[in-house]
Amino acid sequence: MAVAVGRGFLVQPCSYSSSPTFHNKIYKPSLGSATTFWSTFAPQRYPQVAVQAQQRPTWLPGLDPPPYLDGTLAGDYGFDPLGLGEDPKSLKWFVQAELVHARFAMAGVAGILFTDLLRVTGISNLPVWYEAGAVKFEFASTRTLIVVQFLLMGFAETKRYMDFINPGSQAKEGSFFGLEAALEGLEPGYPGGPLLNPLGLAKDIKNAHEWKLKEIKNGRLAMIAMLGIFVQAYVTHAGPIDNLVEHLSNPWQKTIIQTLANSTS
């Protein structure tokens, strides 16, 4: 329904778009005695202004996102208060860095919860997660494990970086001990094949925006959960399952507020 303001301003609702748009139209009165009388006192041209609102969701409703965050990236809600992504090269690197941290966080949270559940239920005699690094293993010394970890992680991270600076270079024949066909890199940050994409959920990576969005959302939630597990262990000196059991035993008295208050007293 159009709303007339005064004699020269008309605002009409319109479809949403990403930027305000202004339209000028000419109002032509129809013939008739009433129209003739009105046209004697009013001008013949009425500029019509239509303001189209923003449809894209942002992390803060009503906030205009930076121009370099145009919504094409998975999970892009215009959040960059420090302007870290103004440089296109830096933005490309930050996207990959967030993706890797998200995957490590998801694996870490799942591993901590699973092993802590086995420990609390008595199924396995495992140490609490923040003491697991101090455990001495019989099959190898701590120094040997550190060296092996550095070699394996260094190799994997070097391959990932080389694929980042030169996409597709690591999928060439002979670049990965003949296992290139088993990986079938889709694009930087999204290796595929039966090893890393056994279910074939995103074979067409160009049209896999929904899968990318789900992954980055779960990854961001896992990073927040990992931070919570760190703080929880520092304050309570217990695992997450122990803290959950204690909270469920007395939900109204065993909360984060009482826990933090007792830790500072």
Side-chain angles (χ1 to χ4, degrees), residues 86-165:
E86 291 183 359
D87 181 18
K89 292 183 179 180
S90 298
L91 178 61
K92 190 177 179 181
W93 175 255
F94 286 138
V95 169
Q96 296 298 318
E98 182 188 31
L99 190 59
V100 171
H101 281 80
R103 290 168 178 170
F104 270 111
M106 287 188 285
V109 170
I112 289 175
L113 293 179
F114 180 70
T115 55
D116 212 43
L117 185 63
L118 294 179
R119 180 185 62 83
V120 172
T121 56
I123 297 178
S124 180
N125 185 23
L126 296 172
V128 66
W129 71 269
Y130 51 82
E131 295 179 353
V135 176
K136 302 294 183 180
F137 296 96
E138 296 180 358
F139 62 88
S141 64
T142 302
R143 182 177 300 177
T144 302
L145 292 176
I146 292 177
V147 172
V148 172
Q149 180 178 356
F150 269 103
L151 291 175
L152 294 178
M153 290 296 297
F155 176 78
E157 287 300 297
T158 301
K159 299 286 285 184
R160 184 177 69 85
Y161 179 73
M162 293 172 65
D163 190 61
F164 171 77
I165 60 177

